[in-house]
Amino acid sequence: ASLMPTGRAEKPSHPETAPPSFMSTFSILRKGSVDTTCGLIITLLSVVDVALLLVLSLGQAVASLFKGVTRSSSDLLLSRPSVVVVGGSFSGLWAQRALSDSYDVTLVDFKDYFEYTPGVLRLFVQPSWLSRLSGPLPRRRNKLVVGEVVAVHPTEITLRTADGEEAQIPFDYLLLGCGSSYAAAPVKASPREPDLPYRRHSWGEE
């Protein structure tokens, strides 16, 4: 017997492509994210390497600039501004006391003693009173240089010692408290009286 068609066409069987699952999509995205992160990290490390090289080069350049400096780093850190005070009387000694804790103070005078000038007139009748009017200039918190200043320059002074030799003293700051001089000797000490024995001799005291 022959088979009769039923009127319904049979659909040909073709293989269908299944849609991608959610986990497959997530795996692809995660892999892409990891690759991107690794790329950013590598780029960042490269930038850090370049920065370190620049810092190293800058440090070498700075070191070469200070190659001729003879003082050590600790000396540079501990160094203080230098102040030269010319004159070992009232104003000069006041400045020495006020500045010695914060500055490197050098006190310069042509004599190594302080003399109370207002009381000097008594020495005309009592020369032995000189020991009560005078005393050694300070040395504990400052440097004392005995010599006569003969020239002042923008960054240093020139002085002449009792031996006739000249020397230069550099400074960051200069304070001039030289006082005054009198024509009537021996009211004020002079460079010819650098210490008390010379000064006593001027007053006739042996």
Side-chain angles (χ1 to χ4, degrees), residues 2 12 28 31 44 85 88 118 139 144 163 173-174 177 187 191 205:
S2 60
I28 295 172
K31 184 177 183 301
L44 180 61
V85 179
R139 301 171 182 262
L144 175 64
D163 299 331
Y173 302 97
L174 176 64
V187 174
E205 182 186 2

Side-chain angles (χ1 to χ4, degrees), residues 1 14 16 40 45 57 70 78 87-88 91 117 145 154 161-163:
H14 297 289
E16 296 184 359
L40 289 175
L45 291 177
S57 301
T70 56
L78 295 175
S91 62
T117 303
V145 177
T161 64
D163 299 331

